[in-house]
Amino acid sequence: MTPALTGFATGFSLILAIGAQNAFVLRQGLLQSHVFWLCLFCAASDAVLITAGVAGFGALVEALPALPLVMSLGGAAFLTVYGITRLVAAWRGGEAMEIAGRDHSLMRTLAIAAAFTWANPHVYLDTLGLIGAVSTQYADWSARIVFGAGAVTASFVFFFGLGYGARLLAPLMRSARAWQVLDLVIGLTMLAIAWSLVAGVL
């Protein structure tokens, strides 16, 4: 497999699992709210981190042993708060549908996306750690750059596909019950990720 295809497959497989960031993009896609800028922000953030990982930035973690602990606890706290808000919305039922229809400002949407992206230790593990580690199999820098470009392309394809593809589910999300189920799933996902972060450092 060529470096480009290896990079694409590696990046796509790592980002495919539904996580906090992906759940947020899915929800905004269903609302059709700031989809382009949100997808661009998430993909561009991944591009920066993947580039840093391929360039060897992972050495920073080795230089600062306490960094994973700080990142994990901070990320867990944020995910717990957001997860609880979604569970509350699911419990309220009818109000959840009303809240879902409200359009947050672009800046608030990007701020939430930034927290999900830059305060999530899993993002650093996948981009700086795993993708960076896989890239070391290429001794030639030109091949390593092509590998990184493939991984970056995977992020753009995934986020824009998720954001705009969510519209296909829009007809199913017209009822308050559907939003309750979605908020319940998202809330439980956030709490599960938060727990895994804490359990991983204890």
Side-chain angles (χ1 to χ4, degrees):
M1 193 182 306
T2 66
L5 289 177
T6 301
F8 187 93
T10 301
F12 201 87
S13 62
L14 289 176
I15 201 174
L16 186 60
I18 289 295
Q21 185 188 49
N22 297 350
F24 182 65
V25 173
L26 175 63
R27 194 170 193 278
Q28 291 301 116
L30 287 168
L31 296 174
Q32 300 184 24
S33 175
H34 310 299
V35 177
F36 175 81
W37 293 110
L38 175 61
C39 294
L40 180 62
F41 176 86
C42 292
S45 295
D46 262 13
V48 171
L49 291 168
I50 290 171
T51 300
V54 172
F57 189 72
L60 178 62
V61 176
E62 297 180 5
L64 300 173
L67 189 59
L69 175 62
V70 174
M71 289 166 47
S72 294
L73 294 180
F78 176 80
L79 291 172
T80 298
V81 172
Y82 189 86
I84 290 175
T85 63
R86 297 272 48 90
L87 291 179
V88 170
W91 177 71
R92 288 177 176 173
E95 184 178 347
M97 184 62 183
E98 180 183 351
I99 294 174
R102 294 176 184 171
D103 186 19
H104 296 309
S105 68
L106 174 60
M107 293 307 298
R108 182 177 178 184
T109 299
L110 294 183
I112 294 174
F116 281 138
T117 302
W118 297 95
N120 183 359
H122 284 169
V123 173
Y124 295 93
L125 176 63
D126 289 347
T127 54
L128 297 179
L130 296 177
I131 292 180
V134 175
S135 71
T136 60
Q137 67 179 298
Y138 301 105
D140 182 53
W141 266 103
S142 61
R144 191 175 298 184
I145 290 173
V146 172
F147 169 86
V152 168
T153 301
S155 288
F156 275 85
V157 170
F158 176 83
F159 281 116
F160 278 93
L162 179 63
Y164 286 101
R167 297 184 178 186
L168 299 176
L169 299 176
L172 301 177
M173 303 303 297
R174 290 175 180 167
S175 68
R177 179 55 60 88
W179 279 103
Q180 280 183 280
V181 173
L182 178 64
D183 281 331
L184 177 63
V185 171
I186 291 177
L188 293 177
T189 298
M190 303 297 183
L191 294 182
I193 295 173
W195 172 253
S196 70
L197 289 177
V198 174
V201 296
L202 293 182

